[in-house]
Amino acid sequence: MALRSPVRSLVLWFPDWPVTALTREGSPPLDPSRAIAVVERNLVVACSAAARAEGVRRGQRRRDAQARCTGLTVVPADAAREHRTFAPVVSLIEEKAPGVQLVRAGLCALRVRGPARYYGGEAEAARVLIEALHAFGLDEVRAGIADGPFTAEQAAKAGASARDPVFAVPAGGAAGFLAPLSVAVLDGSSFSAGETADLVGLLARLGVQTLGAFAAMEPDRVRERFGERGIRVHSLAAGRDSRPVEPRTPPPELQREVAFEPPLEIADQVAFAMRLTADDFIAGLGAVDLVCTELRVELVGDRGERSERVWLHPGSFDAAAVVDRVRWQLAEDVGGGADAGGLRSGGLHSGVTLVRISPEAVDEASHHAPALFGGGPEERVHHALSRVQAMLGHRGVLTPAIGGGRWLAERQVLVPWGDRHVKGSDGLAAQRGRPWPGSLPDPLPATVFAEPVPVDVRALGGEIIDVDERGSVSAVPAFLIESGRRRGIEAWAGPWPVVERGWDAARARRAHRFQVVDAEGGAWLLVCEGDTWTAEALYD
């Protein structure tokens, strides 16, 4: 089957968009002049100009990047943040030239024929888009025009520059433009992703270093060695990119915002003014058969300060719950304590000028429809606790959850009702997922003492058991004494060391855990620290 001829395409590339996203969103946003590196899987995926000047490069290990730039600000990659900040950019481009394909955050493509007719030429259309993006505050943008999106992407990356951000490859000139480029660009291209796995390395081992050398290979030999996947990549290298630009269908506008002039100083005033907006927000979701399960609330102060938070819900938000979250966010004070309706909230020190609400996560409305005979006890509990929480505030109703840590008492965490195990670096799931050497594996004890219970563990002759520096037990445990009561030990296991803060002499801690079963069938979790024994928990 013959491949279709390439279609003239325009690709807009925003170098190091993950860094740009950090400088456009946050509380406060990062200064773009700082040395910043975005890291994923311990590798640098994007870096700022200041970081590059210090020798930081994409693909470096985090440790190597920090060694080259001691003042480097390292931030973990966040795909949601990158797409969220890129969405307004795509909308802006669509206002000037509809039919945009969102390839990934920081890269989009469109067919150039229509804009070229409207603006008087391909390069002229690209410059109109770049001027609009410059007015939006995006100075680092490159445009490539060529036969097919793959060649246009390479034109934007290899041909365009800060001096001339538009580079056009003449029609029919794709093969000549691509020929001197390294085959490594196949791995870095978003238009060949998933098709070049292991192929680039194999080509390099065969002595094929450039796209021109790969394109010069006989198609039959390429098919014999690499299969149909190799033929597809071979066509890309030869400038015969038959993949069309696939314009996206713009998603419905689900976010809502309300501006206040003059700024409002009282939280209750802001919450009251949000009622109609919250109703409209929920109605907009309902129009497309969706409900919001995670809500993003952004507050902007009169002095430009921002407060941003994602709120969770055990079911789905209604208008009243949206208004409650706005009120709670206004009333909470990062420094501790909450004002009675005042505005001492996370980062806001002046009146509110703008409130924006947007769905962070949605679900189909059919999954949250009430059952024919009601939701049973769970639904009644949810409504009761939600009403109490609405009266007392966000932290007025707390539920227990398991966090991260080595000691059982510190793993007991109380979270506000409705806050599921939150995502992100500060979430409980992330805390549990961190390495905790010496932590107790499942199954966990059912009873954890709020304060460790003093006990004695002794050998048959009455001497107290201890553990030396090598982790060896001084004698076989024969019985334990708890609250003056002597209990014979039928079985025991351990010791398992728990070592904390070995680098800090003032806070260092070294202890050993034991599991003990007494003669009455009680299962104890004991801790030996020096010559002191305590009971940490009791198994049921």
Side-chain angles (χ1 to χ4, degrees):
M1 180 176 176
L3 296 175
R4 293 172 293 184
S5 58
V7 176
R8 295 291 287 176
S9 304
L10 167 63
V11 166
L12 293 170
W13 175 51
F14 300 78
D16 293 310
W17 179 258
V19 174
T20 305
L22 284 168
T23 63
R24 297 179 69 86
E25 180 185 281
S27 301
L30 293 181
D31 183 356
S33 64
R34 292 173 57 179
I36 305 169
V38 178
V39 175
E40 184 175 17
R41 296 179 182 176
N42 213 34
L43 296 176
V44 176
V45 296
C47 56
S48 64
R52 281 194 297 273
E54 297 288 337
V56 180
R57 296 291 183 270
R58 289 184 60 191
Q60 279 182 341
R61 291 186 177 274
R62 173 175 178 163
R63 180 179 298 177
D64 295 336
Q66 290 175 316
R68 290 177 178 270
C69 180
T70 56
L72 186 67
T73 300
V74 178
V75 182
D78 186 345
R81 175 184 60 230
E82 295 161 16
H83 282 278
R84 185 169 57 250
T85 53
F86 195 62
V89 178
V90 177
S91 299
L92 175 64
I93 297 171
E94 287 177 330
E95 292 177 3
K96 300 291 184 181
V100 177
Q101 177 185 356
L102 175 58
V103 183
R104 58 171 172 80
L107 187 73
C108 57
L110 61 157
R111 298 175 184 174
V112 76
R113 180 179 178 183
R117 286 182 173 181
Y118 187 80
Y119 293 111
E122 294 178 343
E124 288 75 10
R127 296 189 189 282
V128 168
L129 296 178
I130 288 178
E131 288 176 4
L133 293 167
H134 285 177
F136 194 59
L138 297 171
D139 298 328
E140 294 293 328
V141 56
R142 307 284 187 266
I145 306 168
D147 296 340
F150 171 76
T151 307
E153 180 189 13
Q154 304 312 315
K157 292 182 176 180
S161 63
R163 179 175 298 179
D164 187 1
V166 179
F167 186 86
V169 178
F177 168 74
L178 294 173
L181 299 183
S182 168
V183 292
V185 302
L186 293 169
D187 264 347
S189 171
S190 299
F191 294 99
S192 59
E195 299 176 352
T196 61
D198 303 326
L199 179 60
V200 172
L202 182 56
L203 288 173
R205 290 194 294 272
L206 292 174
V208 180
Q209 303 293 335
T210 64
L211 295 182
F214 184 37
M217 297 176 64
E218 290 291 335
D220 291 341
R221 298 293 179 265
V222 173
R223 180 177 283 107
E224 288 176 4
R225 184 65 181 84
F226 303 110
E228 293 302 323
R229 177 172 61 92
I231 288 294
R232 161 66 185 161
V233 180
H234 183 262
S235 299
L236 291 179
R240 298 188 300 271
D241 184 5
S242 61
R243 179 175 298 176
V245 173
E246 300 175 355
R248 71 164 189 159
T249 301
E253 188 62 45
L254 298 178
Q255 76 172 23
R256 297 291 187 272
E257 63 181 42
V258 56
F260 304 113
E261 182 59 41
L264 297 183
E265 298 285 346
I266 305 299
D268 286 341
Q269 292 177 343
V270 178
F272 182 81
M274 282 295 301
R275 290 183 178 179
L276 291 179
T277 304
D279 287 332
D280 185 40
F281 172 72
I282 297 300
L285 288 167
V288 290
D289 295 325
L290 296 175
V291 295
C292 177
T293 57
E294 297 183 22
L295 175 73
R296 178 176 293 274
V297 177
E298 300 173 62
L299 309 173
V300 180
D302 191 30
R303 301 174 186 170
E305 67 271 35
R306 296 168 59 89
S307 172
E308 186 173 339
R309 178 169 177 174
V310 175
W311 296 88
L312 308 179
H313 198 282
S316 61
F317 283 96
D318 56 13
V322 171
V323 173
D324 282 340
R325 269 54 176 189
V326 174
R327 181 188 294 110
W328 295 344
Q329 187 162 330
L330 286 166
E332 286 187 351
D333 185 2
V334 170
D339 243 350
L343 281 183
R344 299 187 309 132
S345 65
L348 287 185
H349 305 286
S350 60
V352 178
T353 59
L354 179 73
V355 178
R356 181 182 296 112
I357 53 177
S358 55
E360 183 74 5
V362 296
D363 194 9
E364 294 183 17
S366 59
H367 297 165
H368 297 262
L372 181 62
F373 298 103
E378 287 189 4
E379 183 177 354
R380 292 194 294 272
V381 168
H382 164 65
H383 284 301
L385 294 182
S386 296
R387 290 187 63 184
V388 174
Q389 191 179 38
M391 292 185 288
L392 300 181
H394 180 225
R395 300 194 64 83
V397 180
L398 303 177
T399 56
I402 299 176
R406 294 179 177 86
W407 303 102
L408 297 177
E410 68 185 14
R411 297 190 64 184
Q412 296 176 324
V413 182
L414 293 177
V415 298
W417 167 254
D419 284 12
R420 300 189 297 274
H421 294 182
V422 202
K423 301 181 296 183
S425 60
D426 294 329
L428 297 180
Q431 291 179 15
R432 289 196 303 270
R434 294 173 184 168
W436 295 102
S439 61
L440 192 68
D442 292 336
L444 299 177
T447 302
V448 178
F449 302 119
E451 294 292 336
V453 177
V455 297
D456 279 340
V457 178
R458 298 179 179 269
L460 193 59
E463 62 271 21
I464 295 179
I465 304 294
D466 60 10
V467 181
D468 63 19
E469 294 181 355
R470 295 177 176 269
S472 300
V473 183
S474 61
V476 176
F479 59 90
L480 68 90
I481 302 173
E482 180 264 330
S483 300
R485 183 178 177 183
R486 175 170 170 161
R487 302 171 185 265
I489 294 179
E490 296 291 328
W492 62 278
W496 297 288
V498 182
V499 181
E500 290 185 305
R501 305 182 188 93
W503 62 89
D504 187 345
R507 299 190 302 158
R509 186 177 182 185
R510 183 181 182 88
H512 294 83
R513 276 195 174 108
F514 289 78
Q515 289 174 329
V516 170
V517 178
D518 63 29
E520 299 176 5
W524 299 78
L525 181 66
L526 305 181
V527 177
C528 176
E529 189 169 0
D531 58 356
T532 303
W533 284 82
T534 56
E536 184 181 8
L538 185 65
Y539 290 91
D540 287 353

